[in-house]
Amino acid sequence: MSLSFTRADFPEDFVFGTATSAYQIEGHSRGGAGRTHWDDFAETPGNVVRAETGAIACDHLTRWQEDLDLAAGAGLDAYRFSTSWARVLPDGRGAVNAEGLDFYDRLVDGMLARGLKPALTLYHWELPSPLADLGGWRNRDIAGWFADFAEIIGRRLGDRLWSAAPVNEPWCVAWLSHFEGQHAPGVRDIRAATRAMHHVGLAHGHAIAALRSLGVGNLGAVCNLEYALPTDDSDGAHAAARLHDGIYNRWFAGAFRRGAYPEDVLDHLAPHMPDGWQDDMATIAAPLDWFGLNYYTCARLAPCDGPWPGYRTVEGPLPRTQMGWEICPEGLAHFLGRMHADFDDGLPLYVTENGMAWPDTPGHDDPARIDYLDAHLARARNAIADSVPLKGYFVWSLLDNYEWALGYDKRFGLVHVDFDTLERTPKASYHALARALAP
Ligand code: FCB
C-alpha cells in the first residue's frame, strides 16, 4: 500500500519531517537527568496507565544514532526534537548537567551529518520537580527560569539549529494539566489553570527574546488545535463549540500573533488572572518567524449543567484511532485556512505534528496510518494550492513511545518499538513514506 503523493506534488522547498520529544523517548532515569513532575504524577495512583514513566522509554539516549539513521532513511528533511529541561538543569536552575548538554550537542551534530534539519522545541513537558515545588507554571517566576534555560540551550546549540520553538502545546501545559488535571501536575483548579495559561505565554515570550538576542533565528510557536464542532444545530451546542474553540484554539494563537486574548474566554478568566497581566502582552507577542500547528482530531461539544465553561464532549460518528480520536482531516483543512486568513500576516505555517495511534505489531501492516497520513497531506496540498503559506509537515512520531498518561500502549510510531527488547522495526507506513519522498 502506498501514499498517493510524491515529493514532486509539493513545492520544492517544502520540508518533510518527523517529531519526537525528550521524555517520551530518551530514558529519563539515565545520564544524570533530574526528577520531573511526570515522575511524580506517574507515582500517584490512578494518574498514568500501569504507573508507567519515561525512565527507560525507547532508550534513545544510547540508541540515538540508529534513530537518526531511521529518520534519514525515510527520506525526511527535518527532525523535530526537544531538550529536556531536567536533563540539562536537574534542579531547573543553577548547575548544568554537562552530560545532558553534551548529549544534545552530539544529537544536533548527528542530525546535520545525516542531512536532517534540527528543529528544536525547548520544552515538551518535563518540568523539573524542584520547580514544580515552587508552583511550576502557577508561579510567574517561571518565565525567568525558562528564559535562563533557553539561554543555556541557545548558547550551546544555537549556531546549528534550523528552527526553534519554546513550548510544545501551551494549551496542554496549562489547561489540560491545571484545569482538566489529565497531565502533570494533575491540578484541577481554575485559578491555577488561568495563571498557567498566562505564564506559559510569558515564558514563551521571554524565551523568544533570549534566543533572538543570541542570534538564533527561525523562531516559532507550536500550538495544538482541536476542531470544535457543535454536536447538533442548537444554539447551546454552537455556543459550546465556540467557547471550546476559544479556550483551546484562540487563546494562544491570539496572544502570540496579536497580543490579545479572546474576549469571550477572558470574560470568565479575568478574575483569576495575575495582576498587571496586560503589561505582559507585548512580550508574549514577540514577533515570530513561523507558526506551527499540531493537529489530530475534532471534538463535538454540547452544553451541560454546572459551572463555566458548561460544556461536555460527545462521541462522534467518524472512525477512530487507538486513542479514540475521530479521524477528521477536514479539521486540518479548516485550521490551515483559518490560521492564515484570521491573522492576515503572511506568517509561514508548519504542521508540526500529525499522526495516529494504532495497536501495531511487527509483521502486520498499518494501512490505517497510511490512509491517515494520505488524507491529511491531501488537505495540506489543497491549502498550498489555495495560497496558504504552508511550508512543511512533521509526522508524529518517529518511534512508538511513552504516550503520557496512557503509557506505552498507544503506538504512534512510523517505527515499531518492542518495549522489552527495544528493537526497532519500521512499519509499512515508514516504507510508504520513504517511497513517496525518494528523489
Ligand atoms: C501531542 C503531544 C505529543 C504526543 C501527541 C500524540 O499532544 O505533543 O507529545 O503525545 O500529542
Side-chain angles (χ1 to χ4, degrees):
M1 188 174 171
S2 290
L3 291 157
S4 65
F5 68 92
T6 71
R7 214 177 242 289
D9 295 315
F10 285 83
E12 214 175 317
D13 58 353
F14 194 81
V15 173
F16 286 96
T18 185
T20 64
S21 93
Y23 190 82
Q24 292 178 277
I25 63 170
E26 286 176 358
H28 224 267
S29 58
R30 295 170 171 166
R35 193 176 171 84
T36 80
H37 69 170
W38 268 96
D39 304 303
D40 307 326
F41 183 69
E43 267 191 37
T44 311
N47 283 343
V48 177
V49 170
R50 290 183 297 275
E52 287 170 344
T53 70
I56 307 292
C58 306
D59 190 28
H60 174 72
L61 192 67
T62 54
R63 294 165 201 253
W64 60 273
Q65 307 207 42
E66 180 186 351
D67 296 339
L68 294 184
D69 285 345
L70 284 163
L76 296 165
D77 311 307
Y79 181 72
R80 179 170 172 253
F81 71 111
S82 74
T83 41
S84 161
W85 190 343
R87 182 176 297 292
V88 174
L89 290 161
D91 293 324
R93 301 179 289 175
V96 168
N97 171 33
E99 195 182 341
L101 206 46
D102 288 350
F103 168 68
Y104 294 119
D105 195 78
R106 282 196 301 276
L107 192 66
V108 167
D109 282 346
M111 291 175 216
L112 294 175
R114 291 164 178 81
L116 293 166
K117 300 177 193 307
L120 166 74
T121 305
L122 279 172
Y123 180 76
H124 201 127
W125 306 354
E126 52 283 286
L127 188 73
S129 295
L131 298 185
D133 295 340
L134 299 174
W137 293 103
R138 306 166 73 156
N139 186 336
R140 179 185 176 84
D141 291 345
I142 198 160
W145 306 331
F146 188 58
D148 292 345
F149 169 54
E151 190 178 330
I152 291 168
I153 297 293
R155 278 192 200 288
R156 185 67 181 269
L157 308 181
D159 56 337
R160 285 156 293 151
L161 296 173
W162 172 69
S163 69
V167 178
N168 179 68
E169 301 187 350
W171 178 88
C172 290
V173 173
W175 201 257
L176 185 69
S177 307
H178 296 81
F179 188 77
E180 298 187 7
Q182 293 183 33
H183 276 189
V187 173
R188 285 172 45 72
D189 180 289
I190 190 143
R191 200 165 171 83
T194 304
R195 275 145 203 265
M197 288 287 268
H198 184 65
H199 294 150
V200 69
L202 187 61
H204 156 93
H206 277 284
I208 291 280
L211 292 171
R212 195 159 269 144
S213 74
L214 290 168
V216 182
N218 204 17
L219 305 178
V222 172
C223 293
N224 54 316
L225 304 176
E226 187 171 79
Y227 189 29
L229 298 167
T231 190
D232 57 38
D233 225 13
S234 64
D235 289 350
H238 278 279
R242 172 90 189 143
L243 185 54
H244 184 72
D245 183 67
I247 298 169
Y248 207 119
N249 304 320
R250 285 183 279 120
W251 182 269
F252 289 106
F256 292 158
R257 294 178 69 180
R258 230 184 241 136
Y261 293 130
E263 286 298 330
D264 54 340
V265 182
L266 194 56
D267 278 352
H268 291 272
L269 295 187
H272 309 296
M273 291 288 277
D275 289 344
W277 63 267
Q278 294 89 342
D279 301 338
D280 297 328
M281 295 315 288
T283 305
I284 295 173
L288 297 175
D289 301 306
W290 53 271
F291 182 82
L293 52 111
N294 295 355
Y295 175 78
Y296 290 93
T297 191
C298 58
R300 312 207 180 241
L301 289 310
C304 68
D305 292 339
W308 188 91
Y311 61 68
R312 65 191 171 91
T313 53
V314 177
E315 284 212 358
L318 298 175
R320 291 160 184 282
T321 72
Q322 189 190 16
M323 297 289 277
W325 294 348
E326 279 184 90
I327 300 174
C328 182
E330 289 70 23
L332 181 61
H334 167 87
F335 283 123
L336 289 174
R338 179 172 145 191
M339 287 296 132
H340 177 52
D342 276 11
F343 295 93
D344 196 25
D345 53 9
L347 198 63
L349 302 178
Y350 289 86
V351 176
T352 31
E353 284 181 28
N354 178 238
M356 66 168 277
W358 200 249
D360 302 302
T361 47
H364 293 91
D365 286 354
D366 57 340
R369 182 172 291 102
I370 296 175
D371 274 346
Y372 184 101
L373 298 178
D374 219 23
H376 287 80
L377 277 157
R379 299 319 191 276
R381 249 182 310 169
N382 293 344
I384 295 167
D386 290 345
S387 304
V388 172
L390 177 65
K391 303 296 181 191
Y393 172 96
F394 291 72
V395 180
W396 182 271
S397 183
L398 177 65
L399 305 169
D400 293 339
N401 59 46
Y402 177 65
E403 182 43 40
W404 306 113
L406 302 175
Y408 288 94
D409 284 345
K410 309 293 181 210
R411 295 182 174 274
F412 274 94
L414 295 167
V415 175
H416 180 273
V417 177
D418 179 322
F419 290 106
D420 295 325
T421 64
L422 297 171
E423 190 184 346
R424 276 81 164 135
T425 310
K427 303 178 188 176
S429 55
Y430 174 95
H431 295 298
L433 193 62
R435 281 196 304 277
L437 298 182

